[in-house]
Amino acid sequence: MKDFATLFTRIDETTKTSVKTAALADYFQQAEPSDRLWTIALFTGRRPKRTITATKLREWAAEVAGLPDWLFEESYSIVGDLAETIALVLPPAAQADDQSLTYWINTIRTLATLEDGDRKAGILNAWNSLPTTQRFLFTKLLTGGFRIGVSAKLITRALAQATGQPEAQLTHKLMGSWTPDTVTWDSLIEADDPTADLSRPYPFYLAYQMDSLNDLGDPSDWNAERKWDGIRGQLIIRGGDHHLWSRGEDLMTDRFPELAQLKDFLPDGTVIDGEILAFADEKPMSFNTLQKRIGRKTVPKKLLAEAPVILMAYDLLEHAGKDIREAPLRARRKHLKMLINQAPAASPIRLSDAVAFTTWDDLARARDESRDIGAEGLMLKRLNSPYLSGRKRGDWWKWKIDPLTIDAVMIYAQAGHGRRANLFTDYTFAVRDGNDLVPFTKAYSGLTDAEFREITTWVRKNTLQKFGPVRQVPPVHVFEIAFEGIQASPRHKSGVALRFPRMARWRRDKPVDEANTLDDLKQMLASYG
C-alpha cells in the first residue's frame, strides 16, 4: 500500500502527462505483480463495490476523532471530500502495518460480508494501521468512489515503457471483462497475444487549428471536407474480423455493433480513418444523440434504433493489405471512393464528400454554413500530402467556426482538484428570467491562474451558504461563456445543455442586469439546437 500511495501522490501532484507516465512506468517495474494488476484494474474502472455507506463512515470517523457531528460536517464542507476529511481528522496511526495493496483490497471485500459490528471493528483497525495518504486511499476504496486523473491511454503508454511492448498491443490486451480474479499479471500483460497484430491501428494524423484563413497558395492544391462532430475512429478489417479504434487508442468495436457488417462488403486488408456519427435520413444527428452510446459496453435495440451510427470515411490507410500512407491524398481518396461505391447503399459507411470551391472566398462562405448543417467547420488537406502520424504543421488544417457565446452570472463555486484543490475553479452559471436566476451550465476552464486566485479570495469572503463543498455566492459577477453547441435537455431546469462550455472572459464591465436571459438561451436553442 505504501508503494501505491507513493504512486498516487506523484500523479496527484502534477498535471504533466510525462510525469504521470514516468511514475506509472516506475511502479509497473517495481511493484508486486498482484499489486500492478490491481492498480491497472482500479485505474480502468474495475474497482471494488461500495462496502459501507458514507453516513456510517462519517459517524464512526467523528467518534474516533472525538469530534461533535457539527464540527466534522463543517470540516467536511471545507475539505470537500469525505475520504480526505476522515484521513485528516483521525488521530495518527498507533501501529504500522505495511501490507500490500492486494491485501487491503481483499480486506475490503471481506468487510463487505460482515455484520455492522465486525465491519466497524475492521475499518477502525485499518484506520489505526495506516498513515494519512494510505488511510485516504483505503477509505476511497471502501466507498467505491476511487477515481484518479489517469486515462486508459496513459496506462498503456506507461506499460509500454515498463514492458517494451507496443501501446496498441497492450490496449488490445486490456480490453474485455477481465478482473484481477480471472487473470494474472503474466497472463494479461506478459503473454503473447496472437491476434494483436491483426487488430493494431496506425497512429492518427492530426490537424492544426487555423483561426483565420492562412496564405495556403493555390486553392486547387487543396481538398476541403466538413468537420463533423463525432468520434474519430479507425476501422480495421483483417483476418476476416473487424476492429474499431478511437483516436485515443480505445478499442470500441463492441460499442458500435452495426459496423460489423462492413467486413462483409469491404475486402480483407482494409484500414479506414473516419468519424463515427449518429446518422439518420442521410444527415448527421447531434453529438448529444451519439453521446447516449458512449461508454456503453452493450447497446439495447431501442438505442440502436434511436441513435444509428455510420462511419464517415475520410481516408484509406491500408489497401489490399498494403500500407499506402505514403501515397498522396488524392490517390488514397480515389481508392477509398471505389471501395465505398462497392458497398450496398444501406451499409453504415459514407464517403466524406469534398466541398467544392474555386477561391478562398468560396471556402469562407462554405465555412459560414457549417452550423446550419450541424458541422463544426472545415478540414483542409493538401492533395499531395501523405498520411503522417501525430500533429504536423503544414498539410492538414482544421478551420472551425467561431463558438457560440452568452453572458451569464456566477451563482455557485466549488474547489478544483489536484493542484487546484485550494482554489475555487468550478463555477455554476445562470441566466436571468424576470427577477429570477436560472442555472444552466457549469464551467471550470478558460481563466488565468491569477483570475482564479482573485475569485477564490472573493468567494471566501462572500459565501452566502454552504452545501457540502459547494458555496453559494452573491450574483454579481458576469462571465462570457463560450460553447460549441446547444441541445434541449429535460434533465436541466433551464431546458438546455451546452457542448464544451468554458469561460471566454470575465466581464468586469458588465452589470448583472445586462447578462443574457433565459429567452435568449431558448432563441439560441431554436436557431442552433
Side-chain angles (χ1 to χ4, degrees):
M1 191 69 155
K2 180 180 178 181
D3 291 341
F4 183 69
T6 300
L7 171 66
F8 173 83
T9 301
R10 288 181 66 185
I11 291 173
D12 193 52
E13 287 179 344
T14 184
T15 58
K16 293 183 177 179
T17 300
S18 60
V19 177
K20 292 182 180 182
T21 305
L24 284 162
D26 289 346
Y27 179 84
F28 289 138
Q29 289 174 323
Q30 298 171 11
E32 291 296 317
S34 61
D35 281 6
R36 298 180 217 164
L37 192 61
W38 265 113
T39 297
I40 296 172
L42 293 174
F43 285 15
T44 56
R46 296 171 172 88
R47 52 187 176 270
K49 294 181 179 179
R50 186 177 70 177
T51 301
I52 188 71
T53 65
T55 301
K56 289 287 187 185
L57 288 176
R58 288 152 82 163
E59 176 187 323
W60 296 344
E63 177 186 324
V64 173
L67 298 178
D69 289 343
W70 70 266
L71 183 53
F72 182 90
E73 293 302 321
E74 184 70 13
S75 301
Y76 176 29
S77 71
I78 296 295
V79 176
D81 182 275
L82 178 59
E84 187 175 358
T85 304
I86 290 173
L88 292 171
V89 302
L90 293 181
Q95 59 196 52
D97 198 343
D98 189 18
Q99 298 286 356
S100 67
L101 171 65
T102 304
Y103 168 86
W104 285 114
I105 288 177
N106 287 333
T107 298
I108 288 168
R109 296 200 291 180
T110 300
L111 288 170
T113 67
L114 303 180
E115 297 295 330
D116 256 10
D118 292 334
R119 189 181 303 170
K120 177 181 178 181
I123 290 173
L124 267 55
N125 181 65
W127 283 344
N128 198 37
S129 305
L130 296 167
T132 303
T133 302
Q134 295 178 49
R135 183 188 290 162
F136 162 76
L137 293 169
F138 172 79
T139 308
K140 273 291 186 186
L141 292 170
L142 276 177
T143 64
F146 177 83
R147 291 177 180 82
I148 192 168
V150 172
S151 65
K153 172 66 175 174
L154 205 61
I155 291 288
T156 54
R157 185 177 299 167
L159 283 170
Q161 288 187 16
T163 66
Q165 299 179 47
E167 287 184 41
Q169 180 175 312
L170 287 161
T171 300
H172 189 270
K173 288 181 175 183
L174 294 182
M175 292 303 296
S177 57
W178 65 270
T179 72
D181 296 319
T182 60
V183 298
T184 64
W185 170 266
D186 285 339
S187 67
L188 182 69
I189 301 299
E190 300 293 351
D192 289 336
D193 184 351
T195 66
D197 284 341
L198 290 176
S199 70
R200 188 172 300 158
Y202 293 102
F204 282 81
Y205 190 6
L206 307 177
Y208 261 91
Q209 172 68 32
M210 184 168 63
D211 296 323
S212 59
L213 194 60
N214 297 334
D215 183 10
L216 299 179
D218 189 341
S220 64
D221 292 337
W222 294 84
N223 182 76
E225 304 164 66
R226 297 291 180 186
K227 186 182 187 307
W228 300 110
D229 189 12
I231 302 173
R232 182 91 175 269
Q234 202 173 119
L235 176 71
I236 296 169
I237 299 176
R238 298 190 189 117
D241 206 351
H242 81 293
H243 306 275
L244 186 67
W245 294 83
S246 74
R247 194 186 78 175
E249 292 199 359
D250 291 325
L251 192 57
M252 52 184 184
T253 312
D254 294 340
R255 300 179 201 173
F256 303 104
E258 55 265 65
L259 299 186
Q261 62 182 284
L262 292 177
K263 65 187 177 185
D264 299 328
F265 311 126
L266 299 174
D268 212 57
T270 297
V271 178
I272 295 174
D273 179 13
E275 196 90 8
I276 308 300
L277 298 175
F279 198 82
D281 300 324
E282 289 304 311
K283 61 182 180 181
M285 304 169 77
S286 70
F287 184 84
N288 192 49
T289 302
L290 180 65
Q291 197 166 31
K292 298 173 184 177
R293 297 187 54 172
I294 296 175
R296 284 181 173 265
K297 293 183 178 179
T298 58
V299 187
K301 289 183 178 179
K302 181 181 178 183
L303 191 51
L304 284 171
E306 292 176 351
V309 302
I310 65 156
L311 176 67
M312 183 66 76
Y314 295 151
D315 213 326
L316 185 65
L317 314 186
E318 186 175 312
H319 182 46
K322 181 182 177 183
D323 179 355
I324 63 168
R325 291 177 296 161
E326 289 299 320
L329 174 64
R330 58 167 55 88
R332 300 196 308 272
R333 278 186 61 88
K334 180 179 178 181
H335 288 305
L336 179 62
K337 184 176 182 178
M338 291 173 62
L339 286 178
I340 293 177
N341 286 344
Q342 294 171 13
S347 61
I349 189 168
R350 298 290 185 278
L351 177 68
S352 175
D353 291 326
V355 175
F357 69 103
T358 303
T359 68
W360 294 120
D361 286 341
D362 293 339
L363 193 64
R365 284 189 287 270
R367 171 182 173 267
D368 292 342
E369 298 169 355
S370 297
R371 186 166 276 123
D372 294 336
I373 58 176
E376 291 186 316
L378 296 172
M379 295 294 300
L380 293 174
K381 301 174 184 177
R382 201 182 298 271
L383 285 165
N384 66 358
S385 64
Y387 189 98
L388 303 176
S389 62
R391 201 178 303 277
K392 303 290 192 295
R393 183 181 292 273
D395 288 338
W396 280 31
W397 299 92
K398 54 184 177 183
W399 192 20
K400 298 177 68 173
I401 51 178
D402 296 330
L404 297 168
T405 61
I406 197 162
D407 290 332
V409 185
M410 182 176 74
I411 57 173
Y412 297 108
Q414 185 172 348
H417 302 279
R419 71 182 183 91
R420 288 180 167 179
N422 294 320
L423 296 174
F424 286 95
T425 60
D426 300 7
Y427 311 139
T428 299
F429 294 96
V431 286
R432 295 183 299 116
D433 184 24
N435 294 323
D436 298 326
L437 288 170
V438 179
F440 74 102
T441 196
K442 294 183 179 181
Y444 51 86
S445 65
L447 300 184
T448 66
D449 287 347
E451 287 174 322
F452 278 131
R453 286 193 293 270
E454 183 179 348
I455 294 171
T456 296
T457 300
W458 179 84
V459 168
R460 287 174 176 157
K461 292 179 178 178
N462 293 276
T463 297
L464 299 176
Q465 293 187 77
K466 299 177 184 177
F467 305 96
V470 179
R471 306 286 187 96
Q472 183 184 5
V473 295
V476 297
H477 292 300
V478 176
F479 291 79
E480 181 181 323
I481 307 300
F483 51 99
E484 300 303 320
I486 183 169
Q487 299 290 332
S489 174
R491 296 190 300 109
H492 294 81
K493 185 177 181 180
S494 63
V496 304
L498 305 187
R499 174 99 164 116
F500 292 142
R502 67 269 189 195
M503 292 168 279
R505 55 178 171 151
W506 186 355
R507 294 299 306 267
R508 301 171 190 262
D509 60 318
K510 181 164 282 196
V512 171
D513 59 8
E514 292 183 14
N516 284 109
T517 67
L518 184 59
D519 285 342
D520 295 332
L521 205 57
K522 290 179 177 177
Q523 287 179 14
M524 296 179 83
L525 177 63
S527 299
Y528 305 115

